[in-house]
Amino acid sequence: MGRTLAEKVWDDHVVRRAEGEPDLLFIDLHLLHEVTSPQAFDGLRKSGRQVRRLDLTIATEDHNTPTLDIDKPIADPVSRVQLETLRKNAAEFGVRLHPLGDVEQGVVHVVGPQLGLTQPGMTVVCGDSHTSTHGAFGGLAFGIGTSQVEHVLATQTLPLVRPKTMAITVNGELPEGVTAKDLILAIIAKIGTGGGQGYVLEYRGSAIEKLSMEARMTICNMSIEAGARAGMIAPDQTTFDYLEGRVHAPKGEDWDAAVAYWKTLKTDEDAEFDAEVVIEAAELSPFVTWGTNPGQGAPLSADVPDPASYEDASERLAAEKALEYMGLEAGQPLRSIKVDTVFVGSCTNGRIEDLRAAAELIKGRKVADGVRMLVVPGSARVGLQAVSEGLDVVFKDAGAEWRHAGCSMCLGMNPDQLAPGERSASTSNRNFEGRQGKGGRTHLVSPQVAAATAVLGHLASPADLSDAPVAAGV
Ligand SMILES: CC(C)[C@H](C(=O)O)[C@@H](O)C(=O)O
Ligand code: SF4
């Protein structure tokens, strides 16, 4: 019988297999950041071990980094210690680190792909749940805990239990104005935040094949929000074109050999998935969340749901609690929800295409009175690219704040936070209680919806902007 893409990548990495035990897998790329690495390095130190494969290990600073005044000492003591610890560990063990201020610094899941480190068929791990992002290249990529980080540092292997496979087949073509973010939010709303548990998701079908690499990363990024540890997409010409010429991509004959291997990385016709979900792309529209988990979402044209409409008691209770926390009324149109803050950034939607999409809509318009808009590139390189295209000026002219790269407002580990009761439209991936700051209320949206919302001051789609004035000459 044929094999799925996940099974092929898995089989190619098994270094030891024994009946009744997890497989021991070789790890091709280990990414590190400041939050989940300190205890792992401590463990190495205590046992007198070295990093086994420095050539496959790379660190960057992202969660605790400020996005303003990055040349000044870090004010917050917790963040300062966190970053200093990573710097000390990287220096002591010889790990390549891109610290704040370095041109390759940025959110770990933006940096790996942009350097060409993330490649098809690889096993990629990081002490971070959104490592699933890298599966967009057709590898197995998943978040690991700190003790596993230590294991990989010491051995470059990891014992793992083989997951089940689920196909998410998206037929047709996404309608105009509907993005990868809308698609993944709709998928999570459909299968639920636990729907992917125990599975590796493979996104496939004509709608997926048409997506750019950046859009594919947005989708794989949020696999974890559906409960799956990993999501993947078979590599194709789009993947090869994205990688060719990147710093760490293979060159010359090595490139040809790599592409020949990568072309074998697809699910065989006769392979069987353990589960399959089918989505018709044509039925989708801009999607936003109204609740406090990424599965509590609905089309922007809908109303806030009535908790009483849920048959399942626990879902009903979750919806009631969510509406209370979010300060929303059942039946209220989603478009009527006013926001205080708009955040464009994160490893979900902080890449150049995301910034371009938001800038295109913002250009010549103004951020609504009383709304603050933060635009934060996912990496320093993305920031430089945006500046070279004049996007920073577009944002600033509209009244938005243009910042330095980092996780920023995606989570409250740095100064970019919501105040209690404040509401945001955010292109990030989690809307849990307090995620963007204590008492903050988050609506997950695409960069396009974020831009339209910033201009109109309430949750809105790009189509709603047709009535909003654009300054003459643009
Ligand atoms: C801090 C880190 C461990 C965490 C994760 O694992 O994803 C963070 O990146 C997040 O997005 O919540
Ligand atoms: S941008 Fe957000 S989701 Fe991504 S690694 Fe940082 S905190 Fe996690």
Side-chain angles (χ1 to χ4, degrees):
M1 198 181 69
R3 290 178 301 161
T4 63
L5 167 60
E7 288 161 348
K8 288 184 184 181
V9 179
W10 187 280
D11 290 344
D12 281 353
H13 288 83
V14 175
V15 271
R16 179 179 179 274
R17 180 170 277 166
E19 190 60 33
E21 289 179 34
D23 285 347
L24 189 68
L25 258 56
F26 185 79
I27 302 301
D28 294 312
L29 177 63
H30 188 191
L31 305 161
L32 299 165
H33 62 60
E34 68 272 27
V35 183
T36 46
S37 58
Q39 290 91 337
F41 282 112
D42 280 348
L44 285 191
R45 229 180 329 258
K46 281 202 190 92
S47 53
R49 291 195 167 96
Q50 298 297 315
V51 175
R52 180 70 185 259
R53 291 292 299 267
L54 286 170
D55 56 328
L56 306 181
T57 309
I58 178 170
T60 179
E61 300 176 353
D62 48 12
H63 288 72
N64 293 98
T65 52
T67 58
L68 280 175
D69 300 328
I70 63 168
D71 48 344
K72 305 229 168 73
I74 290 157
D76 171 46
V78 175
S79 290
R80 194 168 58 231
V81 168
Q82 203 79 343
L83 294 173
E84 277 169 2
T85 306
L86 179 59
R87 289 171 197 180
K88 202 170 63 64
N89 285 330
E92 180 180 334
F93 287 91
V95 171
R96 169 178 172 187
L97 167 68
H98 295 295
L100 187 61
D102 186 277
V103 71
E104 303 299 353
Q105 176 266 342
V107 182
V108 68
H109 312 307
V110 178
V111 169
Q114 104 193 342
L115 283 169
L117 285 165
T118 305
Q119 294 169 18
M122 279 187 166
T123 45
V124 181
V125 297
C126 175
D128 192 287
S129 59
H130 296 102
T131 309
S132 58
T133 314
H134 307 260
F137 291 80
L140 268 173
F142 36 80
I144 56 177
T146 298
S147 58
Q148 293 173 304
V149 171
E150 183 182 343
H151 193 283
V152 177
L153 284 175
T155 66
Q156 204 59 33
T157 65
L158 199 59
L160 289 166
V161 176
R162 204 182 171 102
K164 292 181 288 179
T165 56
M166 182 189 291
I168 304 217
T169 306
V170 190
N171 295 320
E173 204 172 328
L174 290 174
E176 177 78 24
V178 179
T179 69
K181 183 62 163 288
D182 303 309
L183 171 58
I184 187 63
L185 286 174
I187 290 171
I188 300 167
K190 185 179 168 99
I191 71 173
T193 51
Q197 221 166 342
Y199 293 98
V200 169
L201 311 181
E202 182 185 332
Y203 304 95
R204 54 188 211 150
S206 51
I208 300 292
E209 286 161 20
K210 289 193 191 86
L211 295 177
S212 70
M213 280 319 293
E214 300 203 350
R216 294 179 190 186
M217 284 188 251
T218 300
I219 291 181
C220 289
N221 174 276
M222 290 193 71
S223 304
I224 181 81
E225 310 310 336
R229 249 180 121 186
M232 60 202 313
I233 295 173
D236 58 11
Q237 198 55 45
T238 304
T239 323
F240 311 148
D241 290 346
Y242 176 95
L243 274 169
E244 194 165 12
R246 292 198 181 255
V247 184
H248 290 279
K251 305 276 169 343
E253 279 174 23
D254 290 346
W255 170 260
D256 297 337
V259 172
Y261 168 57
W262 295 344
K263 284 186 172 162
T264 69
L265 296 174
K266 49 179 176 232
T267 293
D268 295 327
E269 291 283 338
D270 57 343
E272 276 179 25
F273 288 93
D274 297 301
E276 179 163 17
V277 172
V278 179
I279 307 243
E280 297 304 328
E283 292 169 9
L284 298 172
S285 61
F287 219 83
V288 301
T289 62
W290 49 265
T292 51
N293 73 54
Q296 290 177 321
L300 178 62
S301 54
D303 298 335
V304 173
D306 185 348
S309 67
Y310 290 94
E311 274 170 32
D312 180 90
S314 66
E315 275 189 53
R316 195 181 318 132
L317 191 65
E320 275 167 16
K321 279 186 63 186
L323 293 200
E324 194 184 324
Y325 180 82
M326 294 294 288
L328 297 173
E329 296 290 330
Q332 171 183 2
L334 288 168
R335 272 195 168 82
S336 72
I337 299 173
K338 292 198 164 67
V339 303
D340 308 288
T341 297
V342 172
F343 170 60
V344 175
S346 87
C347 59
T348 314
N349 282 124
R351 285 171 286 266
I352 191 68
E353 287 176 14
D354 302 312
L355 302 193
R356 284 183 192 140
E360 196 184 316
L361 292 165
I362 283 280
K363 191 167 183 170
R365 296 190 164 104
K366 291 283 178 213
V367 174
D369 282 346
V371 173
R372 122 177 114 139
M373 182 183 194
L374 248 68
V375 185
V376 187
S379 71
R381 283 259 181 232
V382 170
L384 285 176
Q385 177 68 29
V387 167
S388 77
E389 296 177 20
L391 306 187
D392 58 327
V393 177
V394 170
F395 289 120
K396 285 189 266 189
D397 282 353
E401 295 178 41
W402 172 251
R403 299 293 189 89
H404 287 284
C407 294
S408 181
M409 200 178 264
C410 179
L411 93 174
M413 279 192 182
N414 59 73
D416 303 342
Q417 299 196 19
L418 294 180
E422 263 187 345
R423 186 184 298 282
S424 77
S426 175
T427 67
S428 51
N429 49 36
R430 284 183 174 159
N431 52 348
F432 306 146
E433 290 187 17
R435 167 77 178 180
Q436 296 186 293
K438 198 165 181 285
R441 296 160 166 167
T442 304
H443 296 274
L444 301 177
V445 300
S446 70
Q448 286 83 341
V449 168
T453 299
V455 171
L456 295 173
H458 60 82
L459 292 182
S461 76
D464 301 332
L465 281 179
S466 52
D467 300 333
V470 178
V474 287

